[in-house]
Amino acid sequence: MIRENNNFFRCPSCKDELKNNKLNFECERCKKKFIKTQKYEDFFMEENNYKSSQNLKTILNDIERKNYQYAIENFLNQNSSLQSELKNTKWSRVIDGGFHGIGKNNSNCLCIGSELGNEVEILSNIYNRVFSIHHIDEILQFQHHRLKNLNNNTILLKSNPIKLPFPDNFFDFIFCGFSLENIPKLNNIEKDYELRFLNEIKRVLNPQGVFYIGTKNKLGKKFSSKLIEDDKFSKNQFSIKDVESLFKKSKINLKSYWVIPSLNKPHYSAKLNDSITSSWFYKNLDVFLKEESLQLKQKIGAFFLGRIPGRLSNSLMRKFSPYIIHCGSKGNFSNTIEEIIQAETGYSNYLLVSRRSKIKIISIDEKGNSRKVTSINRYEHNFPKIIEKFERVFPKMHDPLNKIWIEDWIPGRKLEPSNLKEVINTMKWLIDFQKKSNQGIVSEKEINIEIEDLKEGLNHFPKEKFELFSLWLNEYKKYILTKKIPITGVHGDFWIGNILFDSRQKKISVIDWELFREKGNSLYDFMLFLYNLMTMVKGDDPISSFSK
């Protein structure tokens, strides 16, 4: 983290420059002093009665007793669902909705209200300097321990979000982890608090910068308990019109987006007024949702949603989308990645899809046909001068190393697992791919490396399950050492959702090469595909039904 002699802080009250003393920052006009603690800068001027959760206090105690790594492992043993937030942040999607506003300028970023610090950690891999503010001491102490040995470009501050200690026009991007309903009211001021907050954001945002915040849609409905995350929101919820009115009063230009399933898991999102994209999303629900996980009522609903006219589908999304993303700017958003992609492809309708380590933007023409797909690496600082046009032709299967690239959309529908001809053609495709990429026979050393990698991936399972899986892996190792297994290229995610059948050309295409490896065990893709097929067979005993 950065603890340097800097001159970018301002007095939270009068906004004058501060004198940077050894132990504090001093405002010569207000005569106020702001303490430099060992872990963060303290610009909080209100009485502090805000406390963290008992869980966080326990973690901090464990850090003091032993170390950060021990404390996190101990906590995750009982809270494994937080792996992606505390340990595997590379796969966390919590800031992906912000890619509607993230642009090519990447100097200064402000993160408001991050608790565990995963948003700050991710943003520090995108921006040159990231400021994290919160009003609770323990949260900032935890972020200090988490971030101190990572990227040396984060600065922690205790601050009130309506009294920010920064100069005018300072930030390229501001990410707010609080929803608009839950902006903490730290001054005992209820009237026009949200408006005061927006005005302060506008002051510190540069003319080309973008501010991100979310709301829970006042009219939104939970149309699937498996899809919608149950966040804790204030009862004081805002309608879309309420938010539009607030931004208008602040003279901040606004773009709003529907998002599913939630702000923390923004798997799919698009502009609220984009009826073409809403209609396209409904028509392709079977591509995005695992059909086998849907109940009969949900399947019927998806069937009818796919046949709704564009304008009506857009109205439904405004009404039923559970959460709304809002991006604000003093300018015209021209520096955002979205706008640059729009200019590059010529298509103004698009769906943002949050994936494991990337963001994908699907560009759709005026007739509702998908035309291009743009991939954006979540972790990357430098924006390229030219966006690469990429064509994936064997043996060139790896994703490019660039931050962003554009490919043509591959036509086709998801493979039908009950269609024997399509399944056989898929197996033929895989066999042909492996023949082209054959590089010899897997050695004992390579098998040992594979086994250790698999065991490492099992560490987050409960101890009793880990021991059982380890026993199976040992049996697998004994078996595979007696066989001659080819080394081939491995797709890495060879399941039905990534296999497309073009009925016009009678052609199998495979998408999503994010996990591709040039050298690997040729059994991997076969086993993943067969397992996926078996689990999708209907009946009480899928394996028996599949074997028949």
Side-chain angles (χ1 to χ4, degrees):
M1 292 185 299
I2 303 174
R3 300 302 298 271
E4 59 184 21
N5 291 326
N6 55 65
N7 60 356
F8 40 65
F9 291 133
R10 298 292 184 269
C11 175
S13 295
C14 70
K15 312 306 179 189
D16 256 19
E17 289 189 22
L18 296 173
K19 185 179 178 182
N20 191 351
N21 301 322
K22 185 176 181 180
L23 298 177
N24 58 48
F25 293 99
E26 183 179 358
C27 178
E28 294 185 345
R29 178 191 286 186
C30 297
K31 307 302 180 186
K32 292 178 180 177
K33 295 181 180 181
F34 306 98
I35 301 170
K36 296 179 181 180
T37 75
Q38 289 185 338
K39 298 179 174 65
Y40 55 86
E41 322 294 5
D42 190 348
F43 290 96
F44 198 74
M45 299 187 297
E46 284 72 36
E47 184 178 349
N48 188 0
N49 296 317
Y50 305 96
K51 303 297 179 184
S52 64
S53 68
Q54 185 57 48
N55 278 340
L56 190 53
K57 290 177 182 177
T58 301
I59 293 175
L60 288 171
N61 287 336
D62 283 346
I63 291 173
E64 295 300 324
R65 279 194 314 111
K66 298 222 173 171
N67 55 56
Y68 176 81
Q69 194 61 38
Y70 167 83
I72 294 304
E73 294 292 346
N74 191 39
F75 177 72
L76 288 177
N77 282 337
Q78 299 176 0
N79 301 273
S80 59
S81 63
L82 294 175
Q83 283 274 344
S84 65
E85 294 186 46
L86 287 169
K87 206 172 178 184
N88 302 320
T89 308
K90 188 176 181 179
W91 315 126
S92 174
R93 307 180 185 192
V94 69
I95 68 116
D96 285 1
F99 274 87
H100 285 295
I102 288 173
K104 62 181 182 181
N105 296 336
N106 64 339
S107 295
N108 294 313
C109 172
L110 174 62
C111 184
I112 302 172
S114 176
E115 295 189 353
L116 296 175
N118 49 320
E119 297 97 333
V120 184
E121 183 178 332
I122 297 168
L123 289 165
S124 72
N125 286 279
I126 301 173
Y127 289 89
N128 294 333
R129 190 162 49 196
V130 178
F131 298 81
S132 173
I133 72 166
H134 210 287
H135 58 283
I136 296 178
D137 293 283
E138 289 89 350
I139 285 175
L140 291 166
Q141 290 167 19
F142 174 78
Q143 289 187 23
H144 166 81
H145 289 294
R146 175 177 182 157
L147 299 167
K148 67 180 179 180
N149 295 321
L150 296 176
N151 299 332
N152 188 32
N153 64 341
T154 56
I155 304 171
L156 308 181
L157 299 91
K158 186 177 181 183
S159 174
N160 187 330
I162 68 167
K163 293 182 179 180
L164 297 173
F166 303 107
D168 296 355
N169 305 313
F170 188 65
F171 290 105
D172 299 303
F173 184 66
I174 299 176
F175 182 92
C176 188
F178 295 117
S179 67
L180 189 58
E181 298 92 340
N182 288 345
I183 298 297
K185 295 178 172 59
L186 306 176
N187 297 77
N188 297 317
I189 301 172
E190 293 291 333
K191 188 177 180 182
D192 294 331
Y193 196 90
E194 291 80 12
L195 185 60
R196 292 182 63 180
F197 168 72
L198 290 178
N199 286 335
E200 183 68 347
I201 292 295
K202 179 185 175 184
R203 181 184 68 80
V204 299
L205 190 67
N206 72 44
Q208 295 180 325
V210 175
F211 163 58
Y212 162 97
I213 194 167
T215 59
K216 187 170 184 178
N217 190 0
K218 197 170 185 178
L219 299 174
K221 305 295 181 183
K222 292 188 177 183
F223 51 84
S224 168
S225 59
K226 289 186 178 180
L227 279 176
I228 305 303
E229 188 178 75
D230 187 19
D231 292 327
K232 293 180 180 178
F233 277 78
S234 164
K235 293 180 180 179
N236 179 30
Q237 293 178 17
F238 292 93
S239 69
I240 295 169
K241 287 186 177 180
D242 292 335
V243 177
E244 290 172 345
S245 176
L246 274 171
F247 273 72
K248 188 175 181 179
K249 287 178 181 177
S250 295
K251 296 182 180 179
I252 300 175
N253 298 319
L254 174 67
K255 283 187 176 182
S256 296
Y257 306 81
W258 56 260
V259 58
I260 292 174
S262 73
L263 298 173
N264 288 336
K265 297 177 182 177
H267 294 179
Y268 313 105
S269 56
K271 290 181 291 188
L272 271 179
N273 60 354
D274 184 354
S275 59
I276 291 174
T277 299
S278 296
S279 181
W280 185 90
F281 178 72
Y282 285 141
K283 289 175 182 176
N284 289 276
L285 275 175
D286 64 324
V287 176
F288 298 116
L289 306 179
K290 291 185 178 181
E291 189 178 344
E292 72 276 12
S293 70
L294 298 179
Q295 302 299 318
L296 178 60
K297 288 182 180 179
Q298 294 168 332
K299 290 180 181 180
I300 294 171
F303 175 83
F304 283 108
L305 283 172
R307 284 151 181 80
I308 291 174
R311 288 184 180 179
L312 180 56
S313 68
N314 196 49
S315 297
L316 286 174
M317 196 58 87
R318 287 179 69 93
K319 184 173 182 179
F320 290 104
S321 176
Y323 302 93
I324 306 295
I325 288 170
H326 305 284
C327 290
S329 176
K330 292 193 281 191
N332 59 5
F333 298 92
S334 60
N335 272 339
T336 62
I337 293 176
E338 266 190 358
E339 291 293 319
I340 293 167
I341 291 171
Q342 181 177 324
E344 195 75 28
T345 62
Y347 301 113
S348 59
N349 309 299
Y350 44 84
L351 178 76
L352 188 147
V353 182
S354 168
R355 301 299 300 271
R356 192 166 183 257
S357 66
K358 293 180 177 62
I359 291 84
K360 292 187 179 286
I361 292 182
I362 300 170
S363 299
I364 302 163
D365 67 20
E366 291 298 317
K367 294 182 179 179
N369 300 309
S370 38
R371 293 297 186 185
K372 302 286 182 181
V373 57
T374 304
S375 300
I376 307 166
N377 277 316
R378 188 181 292 119
Y379 275 25
E380 181 62 51
H381 280 89
N382 299 320
F383 193 89
K385 292 181 179 179
I386 299 174
I387 299 179
E388 179 182 357
K389 309 294 192 304
F390 182 69
E391 185 177 1
R392 207 178 295 269
V393 179
F394 186 85
K396 190 180 175 183
M397 308 307 290
H398 266 301
D399 284 347
L401 297 176
N402 297 349
K403 180 180 179 66
I404 180 171
W405 65 93
I406 299 174
E407 298 174 76
D408 288 332
W409 178 262
I410 298 175
R413 58 164 173 78
K414 187 169 66 175
L415 178 74
E416 176 50 61
S418 61
N419 187 314
L420 185 59
K421 285 186 178 181
E422 291 183 22
V423 172
I424 291 173
N425 284 335
T426 301
M427 299 292 277
K428 286 180 178 178
W429 183 96
L430 184 55
I431 291 168
D432 182 58
F433 170 73
Q434 292 192 344
K435 283 180 178 178
K436 289 179 181 177
S437 59
N438 192 307
Q439 299 165 62
I441 302 300
V442 177
S443 67
E444 183 174 353
K445 180 181 177 181
E446 288 164 327
I447 291 171
N448 287 331
I449 291 172
E450 179 188 31
I451 295 295
E452 291 307 310
D453 285 345
L454 289 169
K455 284 183 177 180
E456 186 176 343
L458 297 173
N459 280 334
H460 65 279
F461 283 96
K463 186 177 180 181
E464 61 274 12
K465 287 189 177 181
F466 177 82
E467 291 174 352
L468 177 61
F469 292 150
S470 295
L471 179 64
W472 290 349
L473 283 174
N474 290 334
E475 291 176 358
Y476 163 74
K477 179 180 176 181
K478 289 178 184 177
Y479 171 79
I480 205 170
L481 285 172
T482 66
K483 308 297 177 184
K484 292 183 177 180
I485 307 298
I487 298 174
T488 67
V490 176
H491 178 272
D493 198 13
F494 199 73
W495 73 288
I496 286 167
N498 287 332
I499 302 165
L500 303 180
F501 178 70
D502 187 341
S503 56
R504 291 183 180 179
Q505 299 186 33
K506 306 297 181 185
K507 177 185 175 183
I508 293 288
S509 297
V510 179
I511 61 172
D512 194 1
W513 292 82
E514 185 177 328
L515 301 179
F516 171 71
R517 302 192 303 277
E518 289 183 359
K519 294 177 65 175
N521 189 326
S522 56
L523 290 176
Y524 188 90
D525 284 340
F526 274 109
M527 296 307 296
L528 182 59
F529 178 63
L530 291 173
Y531 168 78
N532 191 228
L533 274 180
M534 284 189 288
T535 57
M536 295 192 74
V537 173
K538 296 178 174 118
D540 296 331
D541 190 351
I543 296 178
S544 297
S545 300
F546 175 78
S547 62
K548 292 177 184 178

